[in-house]
Amino acid sequence: MFLARKSRLLRFSITAFAAFSISSSAIARKGMPVPATLSKIQKEMIAEGLDIPVSKLYNTRGTGLNNAVVLFGKGCTGEVISSEGLLLTNHHCGYGTVQGLASVGADYFADGFWAKNRNEEIPCPGLTVTFIRSMEDVTSRVLANIPLEMNEKARDSMIQIRIKALENGYRYTSKKDAQIRSFANGNQYWVMITDTYKDIRLVGFPPNGIGQFGGDTDNWSWPRHTGDFSMFRIYAGADNKPAAYSAENKPYHTADFFTINTNGYKEGDFTMVYGFPAQTQEYVSSMQLAQVVNIVDPIRIEARTRRLDIWTKHMSADRKVFLQYTSKRAGVANGWKKWQGEVRGLKLNNVVALKQREENIFQSWANTDSSAAFARDLLARMQVISASSDAALAASEHMREDVLGIELIAQGAELDRVLKLIQSMTGTSAARLNDTLAFISAASEGFYKNYDAATDKEVFAALMPLFMEKASAYVPEYFRTELARFGGSYEMWADYVFGSSAASDPVKMKGLLASGNIRAITEDPAWKLYAAIMHLKNEKVAAKLNAYNDSMVRFNRLYMKAQMMQHPELNLMPDANFTLRLAFGHVKGLDPDGDAGYSFQTDLDGAVAKNNPEVAEFKMPARLLELYREKDYGKYAVNGTVPLAFIADNHTSGGNSGSPVLNARGELIGTNFDRVWEGTMSDYYFDPRWCRNITLDIRYTLFIIDKFGGAGWLLNEMKFAPAPSR
């Protein structure tokens, strides 16, 4: 039933996109507010439903809820949910860390992990979380007396000198770390005062049958039934400040954490998403957007389709390969499916044409406004340089996805690094060189822990023909010669490469790296392939793309400045750049058939209806099915089931994974984990009619922790909002 209704939803979307007129993106909500600027839009937020002063969300007194939001690792968001540093984020955000902790004997992906007390919490080497304690606009200090049209290289040099001095000053006065970041394409600068904690420990991790339920099939789609969460704890030194791991460290103590609200929500309720969105380009030109739609995304999609099909086949046949590739596959597949939805949404909305119409309006303004003289030829120059870079851009993407998507060739970079190191260390002591090579050799073991040569060999045979055919004008002569040597057979070529290269075997590779044998390195097929593609890239592609990118940095800065001047009344919010932002919207369904059960919310009943023991993505754990059969839902039951996920029209991006989703009072009602497929275009064009963020209901999270994981002890340290008075 659910899959059938989902197909009707997709059919509706295609016709509806064409039937509705498209509002101007200059009017639609763009960007995500910087928390320190919320006072400027407080009236708007209150009118939309906010029930607390914005000063409770962010303030410079150190008591705002920004102190409960963290940058989790290097690419996600997390939220503190207790005074003892308990941290909630997504399952897929913790996936790579857990892969490093898991083994065949401790298969946390199949069995999950639940600490029964703090002594069982597992240290996570290398994992960090960062708090943004405060933010300050330092644009006037960074850009003072720097002309708008100054040469970009000289301008950057002056800016970097000022940034370094300012950062040092802020570090001295705050006794914390400080980083100044560029916003609005270099037209604004903000300093972030931060604390980064380095002792993070795993507390709870549902098995894949919950945390990845639906897998790639359901990724980026709605309705959704994935219990996408994991739990960690922040540990600190005796002074409650960041400290390296030590058994003596104590849980991080804080008065700033999210109160949990389990009272539910209804369609139309005000919501907020607080986190670290990675990147949006809402103000990009039509020329650059056309490159995304017609060149970049299609190349990536085709190459990754081939690679993922092969990885999936080998992972399904061998549990060891599954454990080696599960995190890598998730990362590759995430972009692969997102780009498909992105292209689809941008085409259905005809966004390139929409931007061209906006650019016509912009050009008329620039031609007549005396303050915009610097912008009058911007679009024309951007058009010329974009068109001249298309071929090089396509070649670069093919090289990255088709050739370097083959892991053995990518490992050629390690051989090349050793070769260059040997050449650079000529004249140094043999002992020092040997020590350096031994270190690099030992480090290679990390790669081979998650590598299977048989899988990669099949990828080689699938991706090489794609590159040779689609990027024929940019194929190295060495590639052509080798293919001809094997009679045009990619399979025979693959047999030779993987049978001859040390990079296909961890023992041989370790020995070769440690030996520093220059002749053996330069005769290795992996190095030859890598060196050939990089030489051609540097000779024919890199210079063109570097010149293009350098020009576009300048043009985009000036174009963004001009757009801000053109629309001063709109208070244009800067694009996301992996800094703390807060988006707001409303719980809002996306269903063509009216008030269906999953219009804005899904539940456990819907998840069980998808259960299929024959398909790994839809295979539920026996314990969860037992709870379902017995209706053993405890206090998490609502209308005979457990609420699972909901959608709202908040503007989110990559990096918002794991973000706290809050109600009008700033209380935690769920954890953001995805967007609907129709709305993945929101990195370039946000339309609240179609763009939805998908949130895991906090009640389902608590149900899994308590009833499934048997870790109810964790709930004792959480704070819950009171039930509504009757």
Side-chain angles (χ1 to χ4, degrees), residues 120 125 334 349 351 589 670:
E120 292 188 0
N334 193 54
N349 272 286
V351 178

Side-chain angles (χ1 to χ4, degrees), residues 30-38 41 45 57-58 65-71 76-78 130 132 135 181-186 188-190 192 258 271-283 560 571-584 650-662 672:
K30 271 187 176 183
M32 299 108 168
V34 175
T37 67
L38 291 177
I41 57 172
M45 294 181 71
L57 296 169
Y58 172 89
L65 285 175
N66 56 291
N67 290 294
V69 184
V70 300
L71 175 63
C76 283
T77 302
T130 299
I132 306 297
M135 307 175 71
R181 295 287 301 276
S182 166
F183 289 66
N185 292 339
Q188 297 175 358
Y189 288 85
W190 286 77
M192 269 70 64
F258 286 107
T271 61
M272 297 175 283
V273 178
Y274 216 160
F276 291 83
Q279 183 182 46
T280 57
Q281 298 182 67
E282 295 284 322
Y283 309 98
M560 186 71 246
N571 187 30
L572 297 181
M573 300 171 192
D575 275 320
N577 61 350
F578 250 134
T579 56
L580 190 62
R581 306 295 181 91
L582 186 140
F584 60 92
N650 295 292
H651 191 179
T652 60
S653 177
N656 274 127
S657 291
S659 290
V661 179
L662 312 175
N672 184 78

Side-chain angles (χ1 to χ4, degrees), residues 471-500:
S472 57
Y474 293 89
V475 173
E477 188 59 35
Y478 174 71
F479 282 40
R480 299 184 191 278
T481 301
E482 287 296 284
L483 181 61
R485 186 157 72 97
F486 296 102
S489 169
Y490 289 97
E491 288 75 16
M492 291 177 64
W493 188 12
D495 287 340
Y496 164 74
V497 169
F498 281 79
S500 305

Side-chain angles (χ1 to χ4, degrees), residues 6-24:
K6 178 180 174 183
S7 66
R8 289 204 300 275
L9 173 61
L10 295 179
R11 287 199 299 273
F12 167 82
S13 299
I14 293 172
T15 57
F17 271 123
F20 281 92
S21 61
I22 301 173
S23 61
S24 168

Side-chain angles (χ1 to χ4, degrees), residues 112-170:
F113 171 79
W114 305 98
K116 300 305 179 186
N117 53 60
R118 291 181 185 172
N119 291 330
E120 292 188 0
E121 295 173 355
I122 303 175
C124 303
L127 180 61
T128 63
V129 301
T130 299
F131 292 90
I132 306 297
R133 301 304 190 186
S134 65
M135 307 175 71
E136 182 181 337
D137 186 346
V138 293
T139 304
S140 61
R141 299 168 71 183
V142 172
L143 297 183
N145 299 317
I146 294 181
L148 180 65
E149 297 185 76
M150 184 178 184
N151 172 274
E152 211 69 15
K153 186 174 181 179
R155 181 180 187 273
D156 285 345
S157 178
M158 289 182 64
I159 286 173
Q160 290 308 312
I161 291 171
R162 292 181 181 183
I163 284 176
K164 185 175 181 180
L166 283 170
E167 285 178 340
N168 288 337
Y170 276 102

Side-chain angles (χ1 to χ4, degrees), residues 423-529:
Q423 294 168 343
S424 69
M425 294 183 70
T426 301
T428 60
S429 70
R432 183 184 173 194
L433 176 60
N434 289 337
D435 286 346
T436 303
L437 294 175
F439 175 80
I440 295 173
S441 175
S444 72
E445 294 178 4
F447 169 81
Y448 287 100
K449 179 184 177 183
N450 296 314
Y451 177 71
D452 179 69
T455 300
D456 198 32
K457 184 169 79 168
E458 192 169 339
V459 170
F460 181 102
L463 288 185
M464 271 302 198
L466 184 63
F467 173 69
M468 302 284 278
E469 294 163 13
K470 294 294 182 72
S472 57
Y474 293 89
V475 173
E477 188 59 35
Y478 174 71
F479 282 40
R480 299 184 191 278
T481 301
E482 287 296 284
L483 181 61
R485 186 157 72 97
F486 296 102
S489 169
Y490 289 97
E491 288 75 16
M492 291 177 64
W493 188 12
D495 287 340
Y496 164 74
V497 169
F498 281 79
S500 305
S501 174
S504 67
D505 179 88
V507 175
K508 292 180 180 178
M509 184 65 163
K510 184 176 181 180
L512 180 55
L513 292 172
S515 73
N517 187 324
I518 293 177
R519 181 176 179 181
I521 290 173
T522 56
E523 290 181 354
D524 190 283
W527 180 84
K528 287 184 175 182
L529 289 164

